[in-house]
Amino acid sequence: MNTSDLVKALADNWDMSQAETRRLLDTIVERLTENLANGNTFTIPDLGTFRLSTRGERESYNPHYEQYMKLPPKRVVDFSPSKGLKEDLKQVESDNE
C-alpha cells in the first residue's frame, strides 16, 4: 500500500474528500516529525510508539575501495509495536499457515 492507496481507503471510510484526507494525513506526519525532532516520543494506540535514538559511531566495509571506514553517529527513528499489533500479526501469521 502506498500513500495514494491509504488516502483513498481513509477517504472512503470517513466519507471525506481525498483532498481533505490528504491534508489530515500530512498534518499527522508533520506532528510526528516535530515531536521526534524535539526529542519526544509519539504514540499511536493500537499501533505503537515512535522514538528518536542515536546510533553510535561504527565501522563499515566498502567493497569498492576494499577498505574500512568509520561512520559517524546518527539519529534514527525507532518503532516499538504495541502489544495489540503484535497479537494481531501473530493471528494473521497463524491463519496463513
Side-chain angles (χ1 to χ4, degrees):
M1 176 179 269
N2 60 29
T3 305
S4 297
D5 295 336
L6 179 61
V7 168
K8 287 176 189 173
L10 292 175
D12 290 343
N13 192 40
W14 294 337
D15 293 328
M16 293 172 62
S17 72
Q18 288 186 24
E20 291 172 319
T21 305
R22 180 60 189 229
R23 281 194 302 273
L24 178 62
L25 184 59
D26 288 344
T27 302
I28 292 169
V29 171
E30 285 174 19
R31 296 299 171 260
L32 173 89
T33 304
E34 286 172 9
N35 271 292
L36 291 173
N38 292 328
N40 301 322
T41 60
F42 192 92
T43 301
I44 300 174
D46 298 327
L47 180 65
T49 301
F50 297 86
R51 72 178 51 81
L52 193 63
S53 66
T54 303
R55 182 185 303 163
E57 184 178 273
R58 61 194 175 103
E59 218 173 65
S60 178
Y61 182 72
N62 184 332
H64 181 73
Y65 295 108
E66 297 180 350
Q67 61 182 319
Y68 286 91
M69 59 185 177
K70 288 206 182 270
L71 299 178
K74 172 178 168 174
R75 292 173 23 157
V76 294
V77 176
D78 286 332
F79 174 72
S80 301
S82 69
K83 183 178 178 181
L85 178 60
K86 287 180 186 178
E87 290 173 1
D88 289 347
L89 293 176
K90 282 182 186 176
Q91 183 64 37
V92 169
E93 202 174 86
S94 65
D95 288 347
N96 289 336
E97 291 178 354

